[in-house]
Amino acid sequence: MTLGSFPALTLKAARDKRRELEELIANGIDPIEHEQIQKTKLQNAYSFEAVARDWHKEYNKTGRWVADTADRALKNLEEYVFVLIGSKPIDAVKPKDLTAVLRSIEEKGFTEVLKKTRQRLISIFAHAISRGLIEENPAYFLKDIFVTTKAPKHYPQLSLDRLPELQQRLANDNGYPLTKLCTLFALHTFVRSSELRFARWDEFDLEKGIWTLPATREAIAGQKFSNRGAKMKADHLIPLSPQAITLLREIHKYSGMTKNLFPKNGDPNGFISESTINKTLRRMGYDTDKDICGHGFRGMACSALVQSTLFQKEAVEKQMSHQERDQVRLAYTHTAQYLEERKAMLNWWSDYLEANQQEHISPYDFTKHLLGDEVIQFKYAKLVK
């Protein structure tokens, strides 16, 4: 290393500088790397915010995030983290500073944001270590911080004995025809709101009776979140019952000239509002906070399918597009599609809805009605004689 130019740098100053460098070496620190870090500090590229933004850019390149997730991650950092510790040098951020960040988020009641931020802080400091900026990860201990867990949100759903009432009210609804068809289609397929709202006609194969819900969709300019596909970020197959196909043919009369299954009224390139189904339910006399909401269709269908005793729990979960929490189990079951069973499942559900148009019949009794007495009961299966 060059220490300086004589006579600007005196012999005494050079000896002092040499002793500083020897001390760094004695402590296992590379003097050249140390000098580079000091220059980086002066350029403000050593602040927590600068390092975090560099981490975000590099992590985004891995492809583990979709665009929405990447934008949301940066926005959360800007709103909840940078305002508190963004200007601090990365090596000056202490565990107590990170604890303060998490507590400030917890006080706002944003439990999920807190959990994501905790994970990201650990990753950001690991990134700083990989860049040689720090030696230890002050966020590592955050994994042991207790987080107050909010009670899970349960979407209201009608008991199955009120299915006749729901269907009769829907049949008598005098709203816009496409809105009624949208609500009926949601009831028969029980998909999530964004999965339904942003559906495109080219996702449907009516001959095969399959709706291929893509992991992501083509974004439409000016239409927020229009690139959203299946929530689990993987293509999801939805078998279509004959009743669902009939509904699609009717829907086609209203929107077949557009790319979108449910375009916005007056704007063929737009999409129906996320509140469309709930507005319909409220018009029909339901309290969407207490009685039933659009998302509640999923709970009703899941409950009926389980009570029918016909279908494997794994097949029901696959159709509901729930994420397997047991990663070991996921490694063995992620390729299991249960597609034939799911086709029967969707057909059963639509038939069950039809059977409940006037009077209620329980899922179990409906199964008995379908199978009759000609059934041998085994511990592991039901076989027709």
Side-chain angles (χ1 to χ4, degrees), residues 202-383:
D202 60 8
E203 298 168 6
F204 294 85
D205 187 330
L206 300 191
E207 294 300 316
K208 294 182 179 178
I210 289 291
W211 174 13
T212 303
L213 211 166
T216 58
R217 291 170 165 134
E218 178 188 358
I220 305 298
Q223 302 297 323
K224 193 174 181 181
F225 305 130
S226 58
N227 64 323
R228 285 182 177 176
K231 183 177 181 181
M232 294 301 120
K233 310 303 184 223
D235 289 0
H236 180 50
L237 300 181
I238 302 171
L240 299 168
S241 67
Q243 294 90 333
I245 291 175
T246 298
L247 286 171
L248 284 169
R249 297 192 189 283
E250 188 67 20
I251 292 167
H252 195 269
K253 296 177 183 178
Y254 294 91
S255 65
M257 70 296 296
T258 72
K259 289 183 178 181
N260 304 333
L261 198 68
F262 298 111
K264 183 179 179 181
N265 193 11
D267 180 7
N269 293 318
F271 300 91
I272 60 169
S273 166
E274 62 181 341
S275 61
T276 294
I277 291 177
N278 281 351
K279 285 181 179 178
T280 302
L281 292 170
R282 285 193 289 271
R283 187 171 59 245
M284 290 160 51
Y286 292 111
D287 184 331
T288 52
D289 290 323
K290 297 178 181 178
D291 300 327
I292 176 69
C293 68
H295 199 89
F297 293 165
R298 289 172 58 77
M300 295 170 69
C302 185
S303 175
L305 292 168
V306 171
Q307 290 180 49
S308 75
T309 72
L310 284 172
F311 308 106
Q312 298 178 78
K313 178 179 179 293
E314 291 81 2
V316 175
E317 289 295 297
K318 184 67 180 178
Q319 189 54 45
M320 298 301 294
S321 183
H322 287 160
Q323 178 64 56
E324 173 61 62
R325 296 182 183 278
D326 185 333
Q327 295 301 305
V328 175
R329 181 184 178 85
L330 177 62
Y332 287 96
T333 63
H334 74 284
T335 58
Q337 296 295 317
Y338 305 100
L339 190 55
E340 293 305 315
E341 185 171 358
R342 288 160 56 201
K343 288 178 181 177
M345 188 187 302
L346 270 294
N347 288 344
W348 181 92
W349 170 241
S350 286
D351 289 344
Y352 181 68
L353 289 174
E354 283 192 347
N356 277 270
Q357 286 183 339
Q358 300 302 323
E359 295 182 354
H360 172 64
I361 180 172
S362 73
Y364 184 76
D365 287 339
F366 185 59
T367 294
K368 287 178 63 178
H369 171 73
L370 291 176
L371 299 179
D373 297 326
E374 296 296 309
V375 175
I376 303 172
Q377 297 284 344
F378 285 92
K379 182 176 181 182
Y380 300 109
K382 292 189 179 79
L383 300 179

Side-chain angles (χ1 to χ4, degrees), residues 59-255:
Y59 193 89
N60 201 20
K61 290 178 183 177
T62 66
R64 299 177 189 176
W65 282 336
V66 296
D68 280 354
T69 305
D71 291 344
R72 191 161 54 250
L74 184 57
K75 184 178 179 181
N76 286 346
L77 288 171
E78 290 172 341
E79 289 187 5
Y80 307 118
V81 184
F82 294 166
V83 292
L84 296 177
I85 61 172
S87 61
K88 282 180 172 285
I90 191 72
D91 61 351
V93 179
K94 304 301 180 185
K96 66 177 182 180
D97 301 318
L98 303 179
T99 302
V101 169
L102 295 187
R103 293 306 181 207
S104 70
I105 299 173
E106 187 176 39
E107 287 171 4
K108 295 178 175 68
F110 301 150
T111 304
E112 289 306 311
V113 174
L114 189 156
K115 292 177 180 178
K116 294 290 186 183
T117 301
R118 180 170 59 182
Q119 295 167 2
R120 288 164 187 159
L121 287 172
I122 295 171
S123 185
I124 289 167
F125 283 99
H127 175 73
I129 291 173
S130 72
R131 290 287 192 268
L133 302 178
I134 55 175
E135 296 293 327
E136 296 180 353
N137 191 330
Y140 183 75
F141 83 102
L142 296 177
K143 64 184 179 63
D144 296 321
I145 284 185
F146 292 108
V147 178
T148 303
T149 303
K150 291 170 65 177
K153 181 178 181 179
H154 295 291
Y155 294 94
Q157 61 187 60
L158 294 177
S159 58
L160 295 175
D161 61 3
R162 296 181 67 183
L163 266 175
E165 168 200 304
L166 173 65
Q167 294 187 91
Q168 288 165 23
R169 289 191 187 184
L170 187 55
N172 295 326
D173 179 62
N174 58 4
Y176 181 50
L178 190 58
T179 300
K180 179 188 289 189
L181 289 167
C182 176
T183 306
L184 273 170
F185 190 67
L187 183 61
H188 278 267
T189 56
F190 52 89
V191 295
R192 297 176 176 90
S193 172
S194 64
E195 296 171 339
L196 179 69
R197 286 178 58 214
F198 300 121
R200 322 288 161 88
W201 278 111
D202 60 8
E203 298 168 6
F204 294 85
D205 187 330
L206 300 191
E207 294 300 316
K208 294 182 179 178
I210 289 291
W211 174 13
T212 303
L213 211 166
T216 58
R217 291 170 165 134
E218 178 188 358
I220 305 298
Q223 302 297 323
K224 193 174 181 181
F225 305 130
S226 58
N227 64 323
R228 285 182 177 176
K231 183 177 181 181
M232 294 301 120
K233 310 303 184 223
D235 289 0
H236 180 50
L237 300 181
I238 302 171
L240 299 168
S241 67
Q243 294 90 333
I245 291 175
T246 298
L247 286 171
L248 284 169
R249 297 192 189 283
E250 188 67 20
I251 292 167
H252 195 269
K253 296 177 183 178
Y254 294 91
S255 65

